[in-house]
Amino acid sequence: MTDALFYQVAVQSPLRRLFDYLPAVETGPVLLPGVRVTVPFGKREVTGIVVSHTASSDYPVTKLKPISAVLDSAPLFPPVLFTVLLWAARYYQHPLGDVLASALPTLLRKGGDLPQQNFWRLSTHGKGLPNDALRRAPSQQALLQLLQQHEGLSRDDLSTAGVSAATIRSLVNKELIESFSTTLTGANFAPDGEREILAEAPLSLSSDQQDALDNIEFKAYHSYLIDGETGSGKTEVYLQAITHVLREGRQALVLIPEINLSPQTLARFRARFHCPIALIHSGLSERQRLEAWWAAANGSAGIIIGTRSAAFVPMQAPGMIIVDEEHDSSFKQQEGFRYSARDVAVMRANRENIPLLLGSATPSLESLYNCEQQRYRHLSIKGRHGGAAQAAWQLVDIRHSQLNTGFSQSVLEAIKTQLSEGNQILVFLNRRGFAPTLMCHDCGWVANCKHCDAHLTVHTHRPGLHCHHCESRQALPSSCPDCASVQLNYLGQGTERSEATLQALFPEAIVHRVDRDSTGNKRAMETLLEQINKNEPCILVGTQMLAKGHHFPAVTLVVVLDADTSLFSTDFRALEKMGQLITQVAGRAGRGAKPGVVMIQSHHCEHPVFELLSQHSYGKFAQHLLHERQLSAMPPFSNAALIRAEFHQGGEALALLQRARTYLESQMPSSPTLRYLGPFPAAMERRNGRYRYQLTLIGNERRDLHALLAALSHWLEQDKGARKIRWAIDVDPQDTI
Ligand code: ADP
Ligand code: ZN
Ligand code: ZN
């Protein structure tokens, strides 16, 4: 009797467990981890992924069903990547089936094929013919002979050989040839003996850049923080490090934040290298995504540039991972599988034993702390390239001052001067819409969202009241619903209002608004960037979209309209994010030949963070915040996790978290090294009709915290009351604690 064989299969389901199956009825070789299968699951057939096999099962054999079909002849994930995925499921306490599924392009998740390649070959009938059988039709005879000499030829091969579509059709009609398809193999990006991959000469590096490059050890894992302000030449260091990797015949993965990759950056990659570059981002069709994913997996792409989810893309010969703008919070997925692509990249590089470059002008406190702890190597690049001087910072105290819809007199004068000198101005305000609040002057009524604990935002471009939290919309009322007064006031300002104000004050000037509403599609953003890059005088008003990635060489003045909102936030990362954002925005100024000025309006100019930031010292600012975090034993000096629960009735979600806390304390009582906070209502208790609560765990020992979370997720799955409640475990949360 042969040994029994059971497969443990991961299926997309909310349950944190695997399911046992018998081998498929049609026997074949033992299935390796990472192979997709179709399995019966409840009443459905679903796509699952083989995780392991064993000789015994905890379930009665008679209850187990066989695998219905095997979809892949080889695993979709190389072994090292597979271990990273297993780690990620454990670390983030997320069901493995869901983790594996999210690492696959949708088409593969649904059970589709890998990209196929079509070939032509002789049919059985065709094979029997003598090679001069088609003497009277020379072109058909030529095709016959070609296919007699070569096993399978693609449409491209045939075109190159001068075979027309009509000739192919004739032989198909005579049933002499047939097409067949196989998985596209893709030529390696760097065939042996053809390792010259540079399409242009690299720039000669500054001494800081050279130092950074020289410090990189290519043959083993290490993490490097490349810290240099915008324009200091980090990208050039990446390009040269990548050159080294490609020459070794290995691939480089570059992760970027969830934004449209700036066309300039992509153009620089394309101009530098001959090799194919695969782009993986949310703007692709399902088919394009599959093709890009496959180009990485089969080694035909030398460079893979992608957003968050690309952290899990298989590579045939991984050589280096780069995370650009590593501080960016979009690397953390905020729902479902709540992973941090940056942290996954660190683990992946470690397991693959390859270097990891983390780049930023404003590194995260985590990464700076890791440098202090000597876990990462800190490589600084000082100064800017092209001789552009650093911008001068100016804090504008707006206490007691008369503001014109948010603008102080000194800011307006500065804008006027810059315009008259033919320069561009960037006005930063991280709030979309016209006004964040609509209020009745006579009775104090405020337009609130029915579904959220939030005010509705007044919009004038797509006129109406919009909720920025649940996306619900309604028409602008012409009178107060409570007292019928028509005295409705707009309080505060968003980008639309600043745009209108500036246009009214400077009727001659061109004002561009750059926010999610004005750049809804990719084309709109590109058109706008083209306009701006003509370097004609104009004013740009926008949200954080302006802070990211783009180069605006003609901007000489940056105005931060409202720097105060983050000073009093409950989010423990608010100040860090504010400092990063302001530094990034400021980095947009004076990148061209002219020096820049940064003006920051605040009611709290004496706040130490502004002082530190304005001395051009993001580093000192970060040290200050790190010190505060240390005093309060907050991350990165401790590890945090949130248990979130939401339900359309408040009481039950809260009660679940209270029971969860009791359970947790029975497992591990709170102590100076393990703190439980809450459950408390979320910063916005009701959102989209659901009441939201959270319980926070802060522990000094990661190991303890993870043991607790594993026990808790098991407990939550068993708890009857938890079933109807939407709950989630968020490890290393980005927002409020
Ligand atoms: P970052 O990625 O830090 O923003 P970049 O690499 O994009 O910086 O460099 C900013 C500008 O300076 C680019 O236009 C780039 O071509 C130029 N640059 C970078 N390094 C050098 C160098 N070693 N010599 C000359 N120009 C350079
Ligand atoms: Zn009223
Ligand atoms: Zn709402």
Side-chain angles (χ1 to χ4, degrees):
M1 199 187 125
T2 53
D3 288 342
L5 184 61
F6 301 90
Y7 286 108
Q8 286 75 52
V9 175
V11 167
Q12 240 185 313
S13 114
L15 297 178
R16 285 159 177 75
R17 47 165 289 214
L18 301 174
F19 298 87
D20 284 7
Y21 287 91
L22 300 170
V25 182
E26 249 176 68
T27 53
V30 173
L31 303 177
L32 294 174
V35 162
R36 284 176 309 152
V37 289
T38 311
V39 289
F41 191 70
K43 294 199 173 71
R44 297 173 300 149
E45 285 279 323
V46 300
T47 309
I49 292 173
V50 172
V51 175
S52 56
H53 63 260
T54 51
S56 65
S57 170
D58 295 340
Y59 296 86
V61 179
T62 49
K63 292 230 163 132
L64 296 181
K65 295 180 179 149
I67 286 170
S68 317
V70 178
L71 299 182
D72 301 308
S73 54
L76 289 185
F77 303 106
V80 177
L81 176 56
F82 202 70
T83 66
V84 173
L85 288 159
L86 295 176
W87 166 82
R90 270 197 317 277
Y91 185 88
Y92 292 106
Q93 301 296 332
H94 197 72
L96 181 60
D98 214 34
V99 169
L100 295 177
S102 65
L104 287 177
T106 317
L107 289 175
L108 295 181
R109 205 181 299 166
K110 290 186 195 152
D113 287 331
L114 289 169
Q116 301 288 306
Q117 212 168 8
N118 274 312
F119 293 100
W120 293 97
R121 67 182 169 205
L122 296 177
S123 65
T124 328
H125 185 38
K127 281 183 190 148
L129 287 189
N131 65 2
D132 60 349
L134 299 172
R135 266 186 318 279
R136 266 176 281 151
S139 58
Q140 295 182 22
Q141 164 128 325
L143 175 54
L144 186 71
Q145 288 173 351
L146 199 59
L147 289 175
Q148 278 169 342
Q149 285 151 22
H150 302 277
E151 257 315 277
L153 292 177
S154 68
R155 186 73 193 80
D156 282 350
D157 296 337
L158 294 181
S159 305
T160 317
V163 178
S164 72
T167 312
I168 296 176
R169 222 174 309 121
S170 315
L171 290 203
V172 170
N173 290 342
K174 293 180 182 164
E175 295 184 3
L176 296 177
I177 64 170
E178 63 191 16
S179 72
F180 67 101
S181 57
T182 59
T183 301
L184 176 79
T185 42
N188 189 283
F189 73 89
D192 283 338
E194 245 184 80
R195 289 282 156 79
E196 196 35 68
I197 34 76
L198 281 185
E200 63 171 17
L203 302 174
S204 64
L205 295 180
S206 71
S207 64
D208 279 353
Q209 286 174 318
Q210 190 65 52
D211 262 2
L213 189 65
D214 290 347
N215 261 291
I216 300 170
E217 158 76 80
F218 285 92
K219 295 258 183 287
Y221 164 73
H222 203 87
S223 288
Y224 304 89
L225 176 65
I226 306 204
D227 171 2
E229 70 172 299
T230 316
S232 62
K234 298 181 293 296
T235 308
E236 185 59 33
V237 175
Y238 306 157
L239 292 173
Q240 301 205 17
I242 291 172
T243 308
H244 188 100
V245 170
L246 296 174
R247 286 209 172 116
E248 300 277 308
R250 307 233 250 160
Q251 297 163 286
L253 170 64
V254 184
L255 299 179
I256 53 167
E258 199 78 50
I259 47 158
N260 297 331
L261 174 65
S262 83
Q264 297 107 312
T265 310
L266 184 58
R268 266 171 86 189
F269 275 80
R270 292 231 161 98
R272 181 66 55 92
F273 303 109
H274 285 304
C275 76
I277 299 176
L279 290 182
I280 300 185
H281 57 83
S282 53
L284 301 179
S285 70
E286 289 185 358
R287 170 68 35 194
Q288 289 170 322
R289 214 179 157 85
L290 172 64
E291 280 165 6
W293 184 90
W294 185 234
N298 71 21
S300 58
I303 302 171
I304 301 100
I305 304 181
T307 48
R308 191 169 58 218
S309 67
F312 296 111
V313 74
M315 286 186 274
Q316 203 239 357
M320 169 176 274
I321 306 178
I322 296 171
V323 181
D324 193 27
E325 310 286 0
E326 64 86 28
H327 64 278
D328 199 292
S329 53
S330 70
F331 284 122
K332 177 86 199 280
Q333 178 140 307
Q334 304 282 19
E335 56 194 36
F337 173 28
R338 296 167 185 258
Y339 65 97
S340 151
R342 178 195 62 203
D343 297 347
V344 166
V346 175
M347 177 52 74
R348 186 168 178 194
N350 184 303
R351 297 269 172 102
E352 307 268 14
N353 200 24
I354 56 175
L356 172 78
L357 310 188
L358 300 164
S360 179
T362 53
S364 63
L365 298 188
E366 276 80 8
S367 294
L368 289 169
Y369 179 66
N370 277 320
C371 289
E372 268 179 25
Q373 300 290 306
Q374 320 249 312
R375 280 193 287 265
Y376 299 173
R377 203 165 298 157
H378 198 156
L379 306 172
S380 300
I381 306 180
K382 303 233 159 47
R384 281 177 167 191
H385 262 282
Q390 276 183 323
W393 288 53
Q394 201 178 316
L395 288 169
V396 182
D397 186 348
I398 52 173
R399 277 174 302 189
H400 311 298
S401 73
Q402 271 287 340
L403 295 182
N404 185 342
T405 34
F407 291 89
S408 64
Q409 209 47 46
S410 52
V411 160
L412 290 175
E413 271 157 28
I415 292 176
K416 189 170 169 196
T417 312
Q418 295 299 328
L419 278 177
S420 69
E421 290 174 8
N423 297 324
Q424 293 184 344
I425 296 112
L426 190 161
V427 176
F428 171 72
L429 174 62
N430 215 5
R431 203 182 295 127
R432 293 184 293 127
F434 188 79
T437 307
L438 178 68
M439 188 194 267
C440 170
H441 184 62
D442 288 327
C443 77
W445 168 86
V446 170
N448 285 324
C449 177
K450 283 200 224 29
H451 316 286
C452 308
D453 293 330
H455 297 171
L456 292 167
T457 302
V458 179
H459 280 248
T460 49
H461 279 264
R462 293 174 65 190
L465 291 168
H466 299 193
C467 176
H468 286 184
H469 307 284
C470 70
E471 307 298 327
S472 70
R473 298 198 169 164
Q474 60 193 69
L476 262 175
S478 48
S479 61
C480 171
D482 277 4
C483 76
S485 157
V486 291
Q487 289 270 11
L488 296 179
N489 287 349
Y490 302 138
L491 303 187
Q493 46 267 321
T495 46
E496 289 181 3
R497 193 174 206 173
S498 301
E499 177 193 21
T501 305
L502 290 167
Q503 197 65 80
L505 291 171
F506 304 104
E508 311 283 290
I510 300 169
V511 183
H512 296 294
R513 181 165 51 87
V514 185
D515 57 27
R516 188 139 62 81
D517 303 310
S518 70
T519 59
N521 61 55
K522 189 154 170 270
R523 192 68 213 119
M525 185 70 185
E526 278 168 16
T527 316
L528 201 58
L529 287 174
E530 273 162 30
Q531 288 276 325
I532 298 167
N533 286 326
K534 283 185 191 153
N535 296 344
E536 283 158 9
C538 66
I539 308 177
L540 308 171
V541 183
T543 59
Q544 57 177 341
M545 287 186 90
L546 280 175
K548 298 194 177 182
H550 305 293
H551 295 211
F552 302 123
V555 169
T556 50
L557 171 63
V558 170
V559 177
V560 178
L561 268 196
D562 177 8
D564 290 345
T565 24
S566 328
L567 296 179
F568 309 102
S569 167
T570 53
D571 181 350
F572 83 109
R573 288 186 211 268
L575 272 184
E576 178 188 358
K577 287 181 194 156
M578 183 268 278
Q580 289 166 341
L581 204 50
I582 294 187
T583 308
Q584 296 274 346
V585 177
R588 306 292 136 204
R591 296 184 52 138
K594 302 182 186 173
V597 177
V598 179
M599 296 177 89
I600 298 182
Q601 295 193 157
S602 171
H603 290 91
H604 299 274
C605 291
E606 75 296 342
H607 199 291
V609 298
F610 291 130
E611 182 68 28
L612 292 167
L613 284 172
S614 65
Q615 291 164 3
H616 298 292
S617 184
Y618 175 81
K620 280 197 199 133
F621 162 81
Q623 285 310 321
H624 173 83
L625 293 193
L626 266 175
H627 185 63
E628 287 188 343
R629 296 265 186 97
Q630 182 166 28
L631 293 179
S632 54
M634 291 299 268
F637 294 89
S638 58
N639 308 294
L642 283 185
I643 324 299
R644 304 172 184 274
E646 52 179 71
F647 194 52
H648 48 77
Q649 288 150 7
E652 295 185 55
L654 186 60
L656 173 68
L657 291 185
Q658 273 153 352
R659 271 182 289 127
R661 176 164 176 168
T662 309
Y663 168 77
L664 286 167
E665 283 186 292
S666 75
Q667 298 293 303
M668 213 178 277
S670 67
S671 70
T673 57
L674 177 68
R675 288 176 284 162
Y676 298 103
L677 310 177
F680 296 125
M684 184 182 298
E685 181 169 0
R686 193 172 50 111
R687 181 170 177 166
N688 210 355
R690 292 170 172 276
Y691 292 84
R692 306 145 72 233
Y693 301 89
Q694 58 197 37
L695 169 63
T696 306
L697 277 68
I698 299 179
N700 290 15
E701 297 301 325
R702 192 170 274 294
R703 190 184 289 265
D704 287 352
L705 190 68
H706 278 260
L708 261 184
L709 292 175
L712 179 69
S713 62
H714 192 69
W715 181 88
L716 282 164
E717 281 186 351
Q718 306 292 321
D719 187 89
K720 285 208 178 65
R723 273 186 209 147
K724 58 184 176 187
I725 289 172
R726 195 189 287 182
W727 58 266
I729 297 178
D730 190 348
V731 178
D732 305 331
Q734 266 300 311
D735 43 13
T736 340
I737 289 190

